[in-house]
Amino acid sequence: MLGRSEKADQVPAASESIRRRVRLAAAEAVLREGGIVRIAALGRPQVDCVALDGAGTEASLAFARSSGPTVRMVLTASRARALGLDAGGAVCVALAVPRAGGVELLETLAGLPVGGRRPVVLPELALEPASPAEAAAVDIAKRASLLPALVVAPVTEREVDVIVEIEVEEVETAAIDPPLVPTVQAELPISLTEAARVVAFRAPDVAYEHVALVVGELGGTSAPLVRLHSECLTGDVFGSLRCDCGPQLQAALAQMAKEGAGALLYLRQEGRGIGLTNKLRAYRLQEAGLDTLDANTHLGFEPDERDFRTAARMLQALGLRQVRLLTNNPQKVRTLSSYGVHVTERVPLSIAANRHNLRYLQTKTQRAGHLGLPAVNDEDGG
């Protein structure tokens, strides 16, 4: 039990942690609304930036009114490479964009819109590594499920309605594992088994909950069956044939119900962590011929932006230190193992392919390292 002086010592640290998270959440919200985020880095000039696909962005871009002929833009290296630019070994790059190109040129560089507009001829562009503050702005945009593309220019408070100020260190701190705690659980009988309950988990740095659907009693076996399932609205809810997510979800629950115990972690990581809107943008690019990984990198993201550390913390909160993992993805096994959850067995999850998702499944197997490409289901026309 903490003494009074020990509690008093912890109050300032706890309060500052809360303030950091509030500022970061505010920065994400302001970028989504098309407002300005000001980022400071120790010993370097501050950076004022606006995201290219936030609401009202075109109006907000009026702040970029410096007297020079160019506007500074920040992109990820993967987006730069998609444009045919040499990003070298940088993670993020900055480039000077001719002001004469207007918003249309900026949106084209960012990857907007995806289809539906006459291609814009790109001028020659020189790249340089982005500053730490500019790289932090890209991280904030990703956290806000926006395209990681921003315009940078100095402003004064009189020129814009809303500016949120944040420091690079506050953004970097957010990448460290935040606490994740179970908040509530309730019985949830489902069609496959009435012996199920749902547990919600909340982290202080996000506005949504991850959930665990627990089947039966986990304590009845030394290594219960576990599935890490990333949210997929199109597959899980609408029954999309473009992926195998919905069938995998149902097959995993059916196997747990058959065994009488298991846990399915439903992780809020839509579109491999890029968000629903960007996943639909990736769909448009796939319709134009890119595979699922190249579509993500074309938009400026990593091929897979998911973070399975969250799953390890959820399992530990459920009292699980060793599991049998129902997956075709070896990365899930490696991540759980490195964060203290021993995977005693990888249990394959085989779902028949169809003509709509065969290329998607081939890409996961041939390029993403997944195991076990399923056979095509002829009834689906494959």
Side-chain angles (χ1 to χ4, degrees):
M1 182 174 179
L2 294 177
R4 179 173 298 178
S5 61
E6 292 174 285
K7 290 180 180 179
D9 290 341
Q10 290 185 5
V11 170
S15 298
E16 181 55 34
S17 175
I18 292 171
R19 282 192 288 269
R20 284 198 302 268
R21 296 189 185 283
V22 167
R23 284 192 292 268
L24 183 56
E28 294 171 32
V30 166
L31 279 187
R32 280 193 295 266
E33 292 299 321
I36 312 304
V37 171
R38 172 170 292 165
I39 305 176
L42 187 63
R44 292 173 178 259
Q46 66 186 21
V47 164
D48 297 326
C49 56
V50 61
L52 263 296
D53 66 335
T57 293
E58 185 163 356
S60 294
L61 285 174
F63 83 89
R65 293 194 296 263
S66 64
S67 57
T70 61
V71 175
R72 188 171 175 87
M73 188 171 185
V74 181
L75 301 172
T76 63
S78 59
R79 178 58 190 161
R81 284 190 286 269
L83 294 167
L85 304 173
D86 183 7
V91 176
C92 297
V93 297
L95 53 155
V97 182
R99 187 179 301 279
V103 174
E104 187 174 86
L105 175 57
L106 295 172
E107 289 183 338
T108 297
L109 291 170
L112 286 168
V114 180
R117 176 189 284 178
R118 186 175 68 252
V120 173
V121 177
L122 298 181
E124 288 194 18
L125 299 165
L127 291 129
E128 62 181 60
S131 71
E134 290 168 337
V138 167
D139 286 341
I140 297 172
K142 284 186 176 183
R143 290 176 60 89
S145 295
L146 300 172
L147 286 179
L150 303 103
V151 172
V152 174
V155 301
T156 68
E157 283 78 357
R158 292 189 298 274
E159 293 179 293
V160 293
D161 292 329
V162 180
I163 294 179
V164 170
E165 298 185 3
I166 193 167
E167 297 181 1
V168 168
E169 292 75 12
E170 295 177 282
V171 182
E172 294 173 344
T173 300
I176 301 172
D177 286 352
L180 184 76
V181 295
T183 56
V184 66
Q185 63 177 300
E187 300 299 317
L188 188 70
I190 60 175
S191 59
L192 293 167
T193 175
E194 294 186 6
R197 58 190 171 94
V198 64
V199 185
F201 291 81
R202 179 180 294 160
D205 62 336
V206 293
Y208 51 80
E209 291 81 18
H210 301 284
V211 298
L213 185 65
V214 178
V215 173
E217 294 300 326
L218 299 179
T221 175
S222 60
L225 195 62
V226 164
R227 165 77 181 162
L228 314 185
H229 189 90
S230 296
E231 178 182 36
C232 177
L233 175 72
T234 50
D236 300 339
V237 177
F238 299 142
S240 168
L241 296 178
R242 298 183 69 138
C243 63
D244 57 348
C245 302
Q248 281 190 332
L249 174 65
Q250 293 304 315
L253 290 175
Q255 190 160 340
M256 292 174 192
K258 181 179 180 180
E259 293 194 7
L264 185 140
L265 307 191
Y266 199 78
L267 307 170
R268 308 295 295 278
Q269 302 183 132
E270 182 81 51
R272 289 197 185 88
I274 69 175
L276 178 61
T277 295
N278 290 320
K279 183 175 85 167
L280 299 183
R281 288 170 174 153
Y283 277 178
R284 293 292 302 274
L285 292 170
Q286 290 169 43
E287 291 164 7
L290 297 184
D291 69 28
T292 183
L293 301 184
D294 286 340
N296 278 19
T297 58
H298 189 89
L299 292 172
F301 296 96
E302 295 299 316
D304 194 336
E305 294 271 356
R306 291 177 294 179
D307 182 356
F308 293 115
R309 296 177 300 176
T310 297
R313 297 199 301 275
M314 292 171 69
L315 291 173
Q316 290 164 351
L318 291 171
L320 299 180
R321 294 296 185 271
Q322 56 182 23
V323 300
R324 294 160 52 233
L325 192 62
L326 191 57
T327 185
N328 301 326
N329 185 354
Q331 183 57 49
K332 294 180 180 180
V333 177
R334 290 191 290 268
T335 301
L336 289 187
S337 299
S338 64
Y339 282 88
V341 178
H342 176 52
V343 179
T344 64
E345 179 187 3
R346 185 191 70 82
V347 181
L349 185 58
S350 181
I351 302 296
N354 63 66
R355 64 186 180 90
H356 299 282
N357 68 15
L358 180 59
R359 187 187 180 201
Y360 165 83
L361 296 173
Q362 289 173 330
T363 299
K364 289 205 299 184
T365 303
Q366 297 167 5
R367 297 191 59 197
H370 291 212
L371 304 171
L373 177 66
V376 175
N377 184 345
D378 291 332
E379 293 180 359
D380 287 328

